[in-house]
Amino acid sequence: MATIIYVQPDGREMPTQVRTGSSVMLGAIQASVPGIEAECGGALDCATCHVYVHPDWLARLSPLSDDEDALLDGVAAERRPESRLSCQLNVTDALDGLIVQLPDRQC
Amino acid sequence: MLKQRLVVVGGSYAALNAAAAARDAGFDGTVTMVSQEAVPPYQRPPLSKALLKDQIGVEDLPLKGESFYRDQAIDLLLDRTATALDPVDRQLSLSDGSRLPYDRLVLACGARPRRLEGAADADILYLRDLNDALALRSRLAQAGSLLVLGGGYIGLEVASAAAAMGLQVMLVAGRRRILARCAPAVISDRLEARHRAAGVEIVAGVAVSAEGTRVTLADGRIFGADLIVAGLGAIPNSELASSAGLATGDGIEVDEFGQTSASDIYAVGDCASHVNLWAGERTRLESVQNAVDQARAAGATIAGKRTPYRAAPRFWSDQYDLKLQMVGLSAGAQHHELIATTPTGCSFMHVRDERIIGVTSINDVRTQMWARRSLADRPLPLAEASLPSPPPQAGAGAA
């Protein structure tokens, strides 16, 4: 398990235990953390599991693929340098403590 | 004042999203979902892909965590069906013998697999729900060969998964080409070539009859396999509505708010037909996007926030290393034009009456995202389209 800290648009922090091997997206869905739609369930089709990764953590994540990069151009909220799709962030012990900010909308 | 009672019949994307959207828009009465499933709503697309290949487990499938239903005060009645609808007394009869009164009713009854005529159910597997998928997964693990009947997405995805698992696969499509109903020939050709490269034998344009695990084609050829899976399309579950006197055709007929011919009854998802801007006519769509977006509109409308459903159809399919994505529709297009190529893929636009009514991409997410932005709320007049990259050389990359 790793603790992922989901930060709501209003600043509320929701520290959540997520199974390693799962994704940051699935962790939010399973714990009913609001703010992530994930319409396609992680198939890299929809761009509705957008998060802003805390800058301290960016370099520790797996790199952006071309497909994720293209999908991020279609997110509903503003795209920023720290934007990622949470379905692509695999939870490992090394991500224990990861902070992700949720955008104000996903669609 | 008595609390309003919203009842939703169904247990998948459409039912869940109608209930959740009503809550989101401020519906403060009771919300009850009646589902024939034994478990809360779960993801369906992986049932024909990652789940079959054991790449994900059942624990990854739920659409919402269990606390969601508690937090949103959505009462989930599992393992029962609605057996009758009385639209005058506003009451549902359930298979457990109980009666459920409502003020607003949402029918999200889904669709069921079309069965192969004359074949015994025991001999042929179909794929619709989790139980079907788990049964198929365990049978695939023991089979050496697979015969797939049907050249639609379900058939192709099962064929793709089985080929990747090392099975010998043959696919028989009743129509003259695979995906005849939902993709242009240029796309069918590409997918067919990929399936053949993976060793899948494809026979198109012949009817079949089945006996045991052997099928006979209309041209007399006989094939057998360890296992037969049929993906022959789906039939909307509209009987509850039609027997209650609601207007039905190919599905339960609704307006752009999801409202049926009875003003307090709505229908959404696979079981509903609506006049679709991209199709240019009444149509019934079977996709996650349609279920979610149509249900959201209906749910918000029920809560008093009238919301029309006008979102562009979106769809995806994963087969081997090919990622197919669509926006809009391709049926009804007068011509299809290549608008982009990538090292392993391409995008085609589908044009009707000087408007782009859809774009299909294979391994070309960038062009697809451009198309989804451009076609978000209406078919795009060609004159207004600024294509994302220079049109390719004539013939380059064409299928």
Side-chain angles (χ1 to χ4, degrees), chain A residues 30 32 37 39 43-44, chain B residues 59 67 296 314 323 325 372:
Chain A
Q30 281 159 3
S32 301
E37 294 291 339
E39 180 176 306
L44 266 182
Chain B
E59 68 280 6
S67 58
R296 281 184 180 153
R314 297 187 305 279
K323 181 184 194 64
Q325 296 175 288
R372 290 184 182 191

Side-chain angles (χ1 to χ4, degrees), chain B residues 217-277:
Chain B
L217 306 193
D219 60 15
R221 282 180 289 171
I222 295 175
F223 295 102
D226 296 339
L227 187 61
I228 303 182
V229 175
L232 303 170
I235 300 167
N237 294 325
S238 45
E239 290 78 5
L240 192 64
S242 58
S243 59
L246 305 191
T248 57
D250 175 30
I252 305 166
E253 296 187 351
V254 299
D255 66 11
E256 62 179 344
F257 300 98
Q259 209 162 37
T260 67
S261 55
S263 62
D264 47 3
I265 303 178
Y266 295 71
V268 292
D270 288 9
C271 71
S273 76
H274 69 289
V275 176
N276 182 280
L277 202 55

Side-chain angles (χ1 to χ4, degrees), chain A residues 56-85:
Chain A
D56 291 353
W57 288 88
L58 268 180
R60 283 182 257 184
L61 303 176
S62 55
L64 203 60
S65 68
D66 285 349
D67 285 353
E68 185 185 346
D69 185 32
L71 279 165
L72 281 167
D73 281 343
V75 294
E78 179 196 7
R79 178 178 180 175
R80 300 181 199 152
E82 64 273 25
S83 287
R84 292 296 303 261
L85 295 180

Side-chain angles (χ1 to χ4, degrees), chain B residues 363-378:
Chain B
N363 289 359
D364 186 6
V365 179
R366 207 161 284 283
T367 303
Q368 181 61 209
M369 292 315 281
W370 163 82
R372 290 184 182 191
R373 287 192 297 275
S374 306
L375 275 66
D377 49 14
R378 70 198 167 131

Side-chain angles (χ1 to χ4, degrees), chain A residues 1 6 13 17 34 41 43 46 52 54 67 73 75 81 96:
Chain A
M1 296 293 252
Y6 300 90
E13 292 187 3
Q17 292 289 305
C46 76
Y52 301 117
H54 190 284
D67 285 353
D73 281 343
V75 294
D96 189 35

Side-chain angles (χ1 to χ4, degrees), chain A residues 19 21-23 25-26 28-33 36-48 65-75 79 107, chain B residues 13 17 43 45-46 59-69 71 288-289 292-293 296 314-316 318 323-326 363-366 368-369 372-373:
Chain A
R19 192 163 43 83
S22 182
S23 69
M25 178 275 282
L26 276 175
I29 297 292
Q30 281 159 3
S32 301
V33 173
I36 285 187
E37 294 291 339
E39 180 176 306
C40 78
L44 266 182
D45 180 72
C46 76
T48 61
S65 68
D66 285 349
D67 285 353
E68 185 185 346
D69 185 32
L71 279 165
L72 281 167
D73 281 343
V75 294
R79 178 178 180 175
C107 53
Chain B
Y13 291 89
N17 280 280
Q43 289 188 61
E59 68 280 6
D60 291 328
L61 294 180
L63 287 176
K64 297 287 183 189
E66 277 174 29
S67 58
F68 173 85
Y69 301 95
D71 297 347
V288 171
Q289 171 278 322
V292 170
D293 287 342
R296 281 184 180 153
R314 297 187 305 279
F315 187 80
W316 85 90
D318 293 315
K323 181 184 194 64
L324 180 139
Q325 296 175 288
M326 288 186 75
N363 289 359
D364 186 6
V365 179
R366 207 161 284 283
Q368 181 61 209
M369 292 315 281
R372 290 184 182 191
R373 287 192 297 275

